[in-house]
Amino acid sequence: MMYPKIPLAQSIIEIFRAKGIQTIVISPGSRNAPLTIGFSNNSAFKCYSIADERSAGFFALGMAQQLQQPVALLCTSGSAVLNYYPAFAEAFYNQIPLIVVSADRPLDKIDIGDGQTIRQQYVFSNHSIFNANLNEAACDENDTLINEAINLSISKKGPVHINVPFEEPLYETVEEISVEPKVVTSIQSKPILNDLSIYAHFWNQSKKKLVLIGGLEPNTIEQSFLDVLGMDESVVVMTEVTSNVHHPNFITNIDTIITPFTEKEFSEYQPDLLITFGGMIVSKRIKSYLRKYKSIQHWHIDELRAYDTFGCLTKHFVVAPNYFFQQFFLQTIAVESDYQAKLLKIRSDREKKHQEYLDAIPFSDLKAFDIILPTISTHFDLQISNSSPIRYAQLFSINPKVSVFCNRGTSGIDGSTSTAIGAAVASKRPTILITGDIGFLYDSNALWNNYIPKDFKIILINNGGGGIFRILPGHQETPTFNTFFETFHCLTAEHLAKMYQLDYVVASNEKSLKRGLKHLYEQNDKPCILEVFTPTLENDTILLDYFKALV
């Protein structure tokens, strides 16, 4: 087997192998050559070459999202490592394990005018779970840092940074390794729940309990616990499209329910107890509501972190939700209440008005989502980009057997396509990405990729700009708005599809969209883009009138 000659590179490769890190996403360069040679010539690793570091970061993020284990990113020195930062921050807030390994110049070469050299140590410090700044020698100190970085990425579910200085020559190889690095096993602490009786007492006395569930990986929560919540008449469970939990009594379209509320209704449905678990919440309306109409108590259940999103957090249970409910439900009783029944009645009324409005509107963003979402088969995973697409998707019911994903850690548009492709490669499942034009164009280098599966499909909603800004306060039809906020454009994906050899089909009305969807689902010889053109100037009015029509 071929190994790099540099002992430090050998140590990293051997520790990664021993710790079970198998997936390596490499961005081409020279300073990282010792590790590139070592990883790519070792059968223990599966290596991917992604030239654009920003895209590579999100590609690796998508893989780790599906694998639920660390994926390593490897780059050369200089500005290359900075391009991992958007994905690195997303991994931090979305609790996804990533290991960035950046090659560097030796410390005495920093800030002396050497090329491709920046201050790489601690470059991710604001969002890194651990920073391992190695020295040039293979030694116990370096081994300890490497082990700690990997162990913490796994146990704390987040990104870590290993910065590795290499001196030239970089390309020399040997057939036998010259090091015996130490491997440190991660010790997992057992979850601890103290006496729950005072919390169970509050639960048993509360007639208005709201459970708000953020983004979750599919099958995270045992269905038996969800059923207990769904059948409790004092509990209202609100979920989002990324929650991946289901019960007939759950409210899945939060904005549709609460946007038309009067002040009296907001007050009437103010919960006594708010329980949250899962990732970041998409709905701005539910956040505004719960910040103004605070619950008496707010409990958050998560093994790692609790954000005081609503300004009333009273308890963080530092355990997994399954473990919490397993213990907690042993002490709870059913409470007589009409809380759930009232909100389910509102849900029923809203559903009727929702359908009446959709049946009457012209072709638009909203109408396109109404047509697209019911067609997504259960054998697809659904990736949704940020900005408008994830918000439109929140207004509809999606087949509960479809797994839904979105980068909601930082809610940026910058890597949705790269993430979706990485996820599709890792999951080996047919995957559909629904994205907007600005996010798609911003991440167009995602298509500069030799690994896109043939059954990967993109539904691109092109409304000629950042349409979401048209529904925000302060929108005015001015050159400043059109140029600097909406970023109006006349670009399409046609030539990108041709350049990257993707199938391409367009739609601009209901009939052509249905025809395009049929083609999209039948095309399995190569990846496909269905570009859906919607009217730039009408979409915002149609959406705003939608919420008025629900009353």
Side-chain angles (χ1 to χ4, degrees), residues 281-348:
I281 298 296
V282 176
S283 171
K284 291 179 68 175
R285 288 177 172 88
I286 194 65
K287 284 186 277 193
S288 296
Y289 169 42
L290 294 174
R291 285 167 182 165
K292 183 175 181 180
Y293 296 88
K294 299 182 189 297
S295 56
I296 299 170
Q297 291 200 31
H298 170 204
W299 309 340
H300 186 73
I301 310 166
D302 187 274
E303 293 174 285
L304 299 172
R305 297 180 223 161
Y307 296 112
D308 192 7
T309 304
F310 311 103
C312 57
L313 183 68
T314 54
K315 178 63 178 178
H316 175 201
F317 292 99
V318 191
V319 293
N322 280 333
Y323 186 80
F324 173 81
F325 290 126
Q326 182 184 45
Q327 306 299 316
F328 186 66
F329 284 153
L330 296 174
Q331 303 181 45
T332 62
I333 58 174
V335 179
E336 185 176 343
S337 171
D338 61 358
Y339 189 51
Q340 185 187 97
K342 283 184 174 180
L343 276 161
L344 290 180
K345 173 63 167 60
I346 292 174
R347 184 185 71 175
S348 178

Side-chain angles (χ1 to χ4, degrees), residues 478-489:
T478 65
T480 296
F481 173 82
N482 293 336
T483 302
F484 297 104
F485 289 92
E486 186 183 33
T487 56
F488 177 77
H489 67 87

Side-chain angles (χ1 to χ4, degrees), residues 249-291:
N249 292 339
F250 288 0
I251 290 174
T252 59
N253 42 0
I254 298 171
D255 288 358
T256 300
I257 300 299
I258 70 171
T259 300
F261 271 2
T262 63
E263 291 297 318
K264 180 182 177 182
E265 287 173 315
F266 277 126
S267 181
E268 181 180 355
Y269 296 112
Q270 179 179 3
D272 302 322
L273 170 63
L274 171 65
I275 296 179
T276 56
F277 54 92
M280 303 294 189
I281 298 296
V282 176
S283 171
K284 291 179 68 175
R285 288 177 172 88
I286 194 65
K287 284 186 277 193
S288 296
Y289 169 42
L290 294 174
R291 285 167 182 165

Side-chain angles (χ1 to χ4, degrees), residues 60 62 209 230 263 322 342-343 359-360 421 518 531:
K209 299 184 276 279
E263 291 297 318
N322 280 333
K342 283 184 174 180
L343 276 161
D359 289 343
I421 293 171
K518 185 175 185 294
E531 187 162 19

Side-chain angles (χ1 to χ4, degrees), residues 108-302:
D108 62 356
K109 299 292 176 61
I110 308 300
D111 287 343
I112 66 168
D114 239 20
Q116 210 166 330
T117 306
I118 66 170
R119 300 172 187 176
Q120 291 181 201
Q121 294 189 357
Y122 301 106
V123 73
F124 299 119
S125 59
N126 282 340
H127 298 96
S128 182
I129 288 174
F130 187 74
N131 301 285
N133 295 301
L134 309 185
N135 57 55
E136 291 179 65
C139 59
D140 284 351
E141 180 185 356
N142 278 341
D143 292 351
T144 299
L145 290 172
I146 297 165
N147 276 277
E148 189 168 2
I150 296 171
N151 290 343
L152 286 173
S153 185
I154 295 169
S155 63
K156 299 297 184 183
K157 298 179 183 177
V160 296
H161 179 206
I162 302 174
N163 193 58
V164 190
F166 289 132
E167 185 57 277
E168 298 177 7
L170 303 170
Y171 292 88
E172 293 183 330
T173 61
V174 295
E175 294 184 1
E176 301 288 338
I177 61 172
S178 58
V179 298
E180 293 185 16
K182 67 178 181 180
V183 178
V184 181
T185 303
S186 177
I187 300 174
Q188 299 290 335
S189 58
K190 293 183 178 180
I192 299 174
L193 268 180
N194 296 321
D195 185 9
L196 294 173
S197 59
I198 59 171
Y199 302 102
H201 177 75
F202 189 81
W203 171 282
N204 294 335
Q205 298 298 312
S206 301
K207 293 190 175 183
K208 293 192 295 183
K209 299 184 276 279
L210 176 62
V211 177
L212 179 60
I213 306 177
L216 288 170
E217 297 299 316
N219 305 310
T220 300
I221 311 298
E222 290 184 23
Q223 190 60 43
S224 61
F225 301 140
L226 298 173
D227 292 342
V228 171
L229 295 170
M231 295 306 295
D232 191 323
E233 60 187 35
S234 68
V235 175
V236 169
V237 178
M238 290 187 171
T239 70
E240 302 211 296
V241 69
T242 55
S243 299
N244 290 302
V245 295
H246 305 281
H247 186 277
N249 292 339
F250 288 0
I251 290 174
T252 59
N253 42 0
I254 298 171
D255 288 358
T256 300
I257 300 299
I258 70 171
T259 300
F261 271 2
T262 63
E263 291 297 318
K264 180 182 177 182
E265 287 173 315
F266 277 126
S267 181
E268 181 180 355
Y269 296 112
Q270 179 179 3
D272 302 322
L273 170 63
L274 171 65
I275 296 179
T276 56
F277 54 92
M280 303 294 189
I281 298 296
V282 176
S283 171
K284 291 179 68 175
R285 288 177 172 88
I286 194 65
K287 284 186 277 193
S288 296
Y289 169 42
L290 294 174
R291 285 167 182 165
K292 183 175 181 180
Y293 296 88
K294 299 182 189 297
S295 56
I296 299 170
Q297 291 200 31
H298 170 204
W299 309 340
H300 186 73
I301 310 166
D302 187 274

